[in-house]
Every structure is written in C-alpha cells, then in structure tokens.
Amino acid sequence: MNVVDEVGFVNGSGLAAVGGGRHGRHGCCDRPRLEAGTKGFGRSMTVRAPRLGVRMSMGDELIYIMVNGMPGGMALETAEAVARRHTLVPVGLTGADVGVTSMEIEGNSVELVRPDERDQALKEVKEKYPGVVAIDFTHPTAVNGNVELYAKYGIDSIIGTTGGDEEAMREAVMRSSGVYSVIAPNMGKQIVAFQAMMKSISTEFPGCLSGYTMNVVESHQSTKADTSGTAKAVINSFNDMGVDFPVDHVEKVRTEAEQLDRMGVPMKYLKGHAYHTYTLTSPDGTVTLEFKHNVRGRLVYAEGTVDAAEFLVEKRALGGDQQIFNMIDILRSGKMQ
C-alpha cells in the first residue's frame, strides 16, 4: 500500500477531493459534530486539513468512497472507518427531512445532498472521483432508487440498507455492463461467518430439525424500521433444516426499557446494537437448542463495509462476468482485515 499526502481541490461545482484523516476513537457513541448551515450542492465549500494528512491506496490507485445515509448511525460509523483508511468523498446523499446540511467526519467536511439533487450529485461525483465506490446505508424507501442511479452513472456500490427490493436492485446492476455491487444484509465478518455456517448445515443436512418449533427475538435501536436482514437469512437456513417459521413471526424489540431490562443491552449501546436469539424446541419438549449473537456498537459492520469496498475495487480491476457479490464472497477471498 502506498501512503499519500493530503489531496485537496475545490472546483466550480463545490466538490472537494480530500485525503487525510485522524485515528479517532471507535466507540459507537463517539459521533462527529453536526454542522448546521446554509451550504447547498453546487457551492464551494471549505474543507479543513485533516490532522494526520495521510491516505492509503491500493497499489497506485486512490480509493474514493462516498457514504450515503448520514446522519444515520450506521452511515456515520462507516464514514469514520472510510476516513481512517481511504479517501472519503465530501458529498453524501441524505433524506428530505434531515435538518443539517453538512457533517464533520474525522476532520473532513461532508455536504449532505437531498433527494431532489441526488441525480446531479451522483453525476458530478462520478466525474470528479475516478473509480468511486458508493456505500448505501439509507432507508428501505430510498435504496432502490439510489441503486438505479448508481447503475445509471456506472458507480460501483456496497448496499447495506435492508428492507428494499433486492431482486430489483440486482436487475438494475445487471442491466449496466461493467458495474459491480456487494449486496448484503450484514457487513459484520463474524456474523456473516455464522450465517454461512447455518447455510452450510442446511445444505448438508436438510430436514435435520423437522418437527422443531422456533422462537426468534431480535433487538435493534429504535430507529431501525424493518426486520433484521440477518435474522431473515438465518431463518431461511433453519427453514431449510425442516423448521416452519414465517419471517413475520420474528419478535422485534424496539423500546429502550425492554432492551435494558429484558435483553440486557448496556445503556451506552441502546442507539447501536444487534441482539439476536434463535430458540428451537423438539416436538416432545425434551431438547432445546439456542443460538445467540449479540453485537454492541457498529464498528464491526463499518470495518467490514470498507473491506467490501476494497474487494469491489479489486474485482473491478480484474473484470469478469460476475457483477453481484455478497459478504460470503468476501470472506472466501480472504480480503477481510
């Protein structure tokens, strides 16, 4: 890997390419300062020099990464991870009702672009940042439209937003030759490995849990709108083992009081956690199997997402017919840090 000094320019459309960053704390509650202001897309913006002023590249190529979905917690954590490892594009897509216009991420200012400006924003980002990869942690109602635009402008993407129409996303990517995407409900390395283990068992021993009943409880921060994509994937594997469990029977715990008292989530992680418990019981009630994975904070997902971006850059350089990947592909590649 090469280390390059700060790269900075501000052009007529107000986009700045910035290298540099600082190694800050990783905790899920350490958040960048929100900057309220009147900056709009298309105006020049001031980008403060990062504290360490370094950026890593793969080979001789800088990796430019755009993070969409701020000020949402997952997008924020991922933007921090990007800024520590690569070059964070100083523009990101956000929602129509977001009350801030920019974010301060590891010493870099990122302008937030509303939905009515996203088409032009993505067009200009593609022009200014060669090989840019877009990371999407937006909202189920927005993600499919975003993927259509990423494909339209030839932008490779990492889709971590759950609750959208995944088949439609795949079709949008496949219609655009030379565009690559990682679509995954979970970017956490160890949790993905658990999913793969469950899938492997279901393939090797189909029907091994026939007759068993199952109860699934998952707890996430109150702002999570949909059932966990990880839970859906694991349930599919259990169903292949012979369990008959509809996804809409998942119990979603979203109130903080219940998360504290019943689930045992520490107070500091109420705004960012993923607690899943799958309990299976034999027909006669004499055997109980319980699988549990509890994640506090978002760092494991954020770092895995950046690993996915690096994987996609390498795949783009190599070319090939496969355009869509998941996190299991990345695990198998051995590229995850």
Side-chain angles (χ1 to χ4, degrees):
M1 282 193 173
N2 296 332
V3 179
V4 298
D5 293 329
E6 178 187 355
V7 178
F9 63 86
V10 178
N11 54 62
S13 57
L15 299 179
V18 181
R22 63 179 175 83
H23 294 269
R25 294 176 296 168
H26 301 335
C28 82
C29 298
D30 299 328
R31 286 285 169 256
R33 175 172 58 87
L34 303 184
E35 277 190 357
T38 58
K39 287 185 260 184
F41 188 77
R43 296 179 57 187
S44 64
M45 47 193 241
T46 301
V47 183
R48 293 192 300 161
R51 295 188 181 181
L52 292 184
V54 297
R55 267 301 174 274
M56 289 187 295
S57 64
M58 296 179 66
D60 294 324
E61 179 185 10
L62 277 173
I63 300 180
Y64 298 107
I65 301 177
M66 179 185 196
V67 179
N68 299 322
M70 291 183 278
M74 193 61 241
L76 282 176
E77 191 85 48
T78 302
E80 292 174 358
V82 169
R84 288 191 295 269
R85 293 168 58 176
H86 295 295
T87 301
L88 178 65
V89 170
V91 177
L93 305 184
T94 192
D97 57 350
V98 172
V100 294
T101 61
S102 63
M103 304 292 301
E104 180 95 356
I105 305 293
E106 298 280 338
N108 301 315
S109 182
V110 178
E111 187 173 5
L112 302 183
V113 176
R114 301 304 189 271
D116 60 345
E117 298 174 309
R118 66 179 178 173
D119 195 306
Q120 181 65 21
L122 289 170
K123 181 176 183 291
E124 295 193 21
V125 164
K126 175 64 175 179
E127 292 171 352
K128 308 301 179 185
Y129 302 98
V132 63
V133 177
I135 291 174
D136 194 295
F137 284 111
T138 56
H139 192 271
T141 60
V143 63
N144 280 91
N146 290 345
V147 172
E148 290 279 354
L149 289 176
Y150 301 149
K152 174 182 176 181
Y153 290 115
I155 297 174
D156 297 335
S157 60
I158 311 295
I159 309 301
T161 307
T162 59
D165 185 337
E166 184 173 328
E167 186 58 35
M169 294 181 211
R170 291 172 172 272
E171 291 175 0
V173 173
M174 295 297 290
R175 284 195 300 268
S176 299
S177 177
V179 174
Y180 300 89
S181 184
V182 172
I183 303 175
N186 192 313
M187 301 291 181
K189 297 180 275 277
Q190 292 75 22
I191 306 306
V192 172
F194 171 74
Q195 287 180 227
M197 179 177 67
M198 293 294 102
K199 181 64 177 175
S200 177
I201 293 173
S202 71
T203 301
E204 188 72 16
F205 306 110
C208 64
L209 294 176
S210 294
Y212 274 61
T213 58
M214 185 165 71
N215 180 59
V216 180
V217 181
E218 57 102 328
S219 175
H220 287 260
Q221 58 279 2
S222 60
T223 55
K224 183 168 177 58
D226 59 318
T227 300
S228 161
T230 302
K232 293 177 182 177
V234 173
I235 288 167
N236 285 340
S237 292
F238 279 124
N239 284 341
D240 289 341
M241 295 180 213
V243 178
D244 182 14
F245 186 86
V247 170
D248 60 8
H249 286 192
V250 172
E251 182 182 357
K252 298 191 290 289
V253 178
R254 294 293 187 269
T255 64
E256 293 188 352
E258 196 172 10
Q259 289 170 347
L260 286 167
D261 298 336
R262 176 185 171 192
M263 305 300 293
V265 180
M267 177 74 74
K268 67 180 290 188
Y269 293 112
L270 288 176
K271 301 300 182 184
H273 69 277
Y275 277 35
H276 293 202
T277 301
Y278 312 84
T279 305
L280 299 104
T281 305
S282 65
D284 62 1
T286 61
V287 178
T288 299
L289 303 174
E290 186 172 89
F291 299 84
K292 180 182 293 187
H293 51 89
N294 294 346
V295 179
R296 302 178 182 94
R298 300 183 175 94
L299 182 61
V300 66
Y301 306 118
E303 295 292 349
T305 303
V306 182
D307 291 338
E310 293 177 355
F311 170 88
L312 215 54
V313 169
E314 291 194 3
K315 286 298 180 182
R316 180 179 61 216
L318 293 172
D321 294 333
Q322 184 176 351
Q323 292 177 255
I324 298 173
F325 303 89
N326 57 34
M327 292 300 281
I328 293 175
D329 293 318
I330 299 168
L331 275 176
R332 286 175 176 151
S333 76
K335 299 297 184 184
M336 305 188 86
Q337 294 186 7

